[in-house]
Amino acid sequence: MLPFRHHLLLSFYLAFCSGAWAAPDIAASKDMQIVQRIDDVLVGVDAVSLAIIDRSHVAGSYFLINLHQPSPVAGTAEFVADCQSPPRLATLASSLPSGSIQPEIPLLQRRATALDIASLTFNPVHMLDGSWMVAEFACRSTSQPGRARQIAQELLEQGGPPDMRSLWCDLQADGSTQTRRSAEVRYSARDDAVAVQTQWLSSGFVSDTEVLFGSGAQWIVDRQPSRARLLGSGGVLLFTGACRSTPPAP
């Protein structure tokens, strides 16, 4: 289990699938920044849309693109991020798959007439709906605009909640007999979220002692570095690999 503007998004998709991508390459336009991958969906923020409302709030829009069907865009949403700790997010208008389009005043018009922050409903952010990365990027990049692309890359490659931990394990991709040495497994017990090689997995969850992921065969990784096991149907042991708490030497 090692594992949105349409022409621009399609070029993101082709760059991603070429295997020679990095966040600054995908986000070749200053408008779009990819900040997270969840299963086969990329989460990106329209950096040009970001607008500081006051010392604690930033408005903007984000988008989703499915890697297997890059067009049409899988979803978009306009939001306001509350940058105080802990961060929160309010959605203004959404065409995301999980919700319906709401009859909201367009975001730019809202900015022109001033947003009523007190009337918004802010919700906690999470890893597996993209809201944590969206809020983090909006808040950090508006305070450091010259580093927007670098911040997006950092979030994609290293981002996560404050309690995030990493292990480096020997794993195998689905259907492969080749072992990938020192694949990074990131996890957050608080968010009950797991990422493998920068890809957050909806199949992942965290127990007191283990990190688990995989929708067919299941990976079980010891939180105290020791081993990673791949179990097939009926609990048959398919693979065992070593895990370490320190990254491999460059």
Side-chain angles (χ1 to χ4, degrees):
M1 184 76 188
L2 294 183
F4 215 129
R5 355 198 137 151
H6 291 86
H7 294 300
L8 179 59
L9 294 176
L10 182 58
S11 69
F12 285 170
Y13 170 73
L14 293 174
F16 190 95
C17 291
S18 71
W21 76 282
D25 298 324
I26 288 184
S29 164
K30 294 181 180 179
D31 295 0
M32 301 292 179
Q33 301 292 345
I34 303 299
V35 296
Q36 189 177 5
R37 179 179 177 179
I38 306 171
D39 292 332
D40 291 324
V41 175
L42 298 179
V43 180
V45 179
D46 183 348
V48 170
S49 77
L50 297 179
I52 297 172
I53 299 172
D54 56 34
R55 295 182 64 179
S56 301
H57 298 89
V58 177
S61 62
Y62 70 94
F63 55 88
L64 309 176
I65 177 171
N66 190 305
L67 290 175
H68 298 300
Q69 187 177 349
S71 181
V73 175
T76 62
E78 297 173 346
F79 68 88
V80 174
D82 180 351
C83 298
Q84 301 176 89
S85 183
R88 299 179 301 158
L89 204 71
T91 301
L92 303 179
S94 171
S95 60
L96 296 173
S98 58
S100 59
I101 300 176
Q102 303 171 27
E104 297 282 356
I105 301 172
L107 186 57
L108 291 176
Q109 184 178 343
R110 280 178 170 269
R111 289 185 190 142
T113 58
L115 280 161
D116 180 8
I117 297 299
S119 70
L120 301 179
T121 300
F122 287 89
N123 297 302
V125 295
H126 302 283
M127 287 306 301
L128 293 183
D129 62 6
S131 58
W132 197 97
M133 293 289 203
V134 167
E136 183 76 0
F137 177 79
C139 295
R140 287 180 58 186
S141 64
T142 49
S143 65
Q144 307 172 69
R147 294 188 62 243
R149 295 174 70 181
Q150 183 179 350
I151 291 169
Q153 182 173 3
E154 290 173 356
L155 291 175
L156 182 69
E157 296 180 352
Q158 304 162 14
D163 71 329
M164 190 185 71
R165 299 290 183 268
S166 288
L167 295 169
W168 286 265
C169 300
D170 299 337
L171 304 177
Q172 288 183 348
D174 285 345
S176 173
T177 58
Q178 303 238 343
T179 300
R180 174 172 288 182
R181 305 293 178 186
S182 299
E184 184 178 14
V185 177
R186 285 183 285 167
Y187 66 93
S188 164
R190 186 193 71 180
D191 266 43
D192 203 21
V194 181
V196 179
Q197 295 292 89
T198 75
Q199 178 180 348
W200 293 88
L201 305 174
S202 61
S203 67
F205 60 99
V206 183
S207 75
D208 290 341
T209 59
E210 298 169 330
V211 178
L212 303 95
F213 55 93
S215 54
Q218 185 174 60
W219 284 98
I220 302 175
V221 176
D222 297 336
R223 289 177 60 175
Q224 293 297 322
S226 176
R227 60 178 179 165
R229 290 162 287 153
L230 179 63
L231 302 183
S233 60
V236 175
L237 182 64
L238 303 177
F239 177 82
T240 299
C243 290
R244 295 157 288 279
S245 59
T246 56

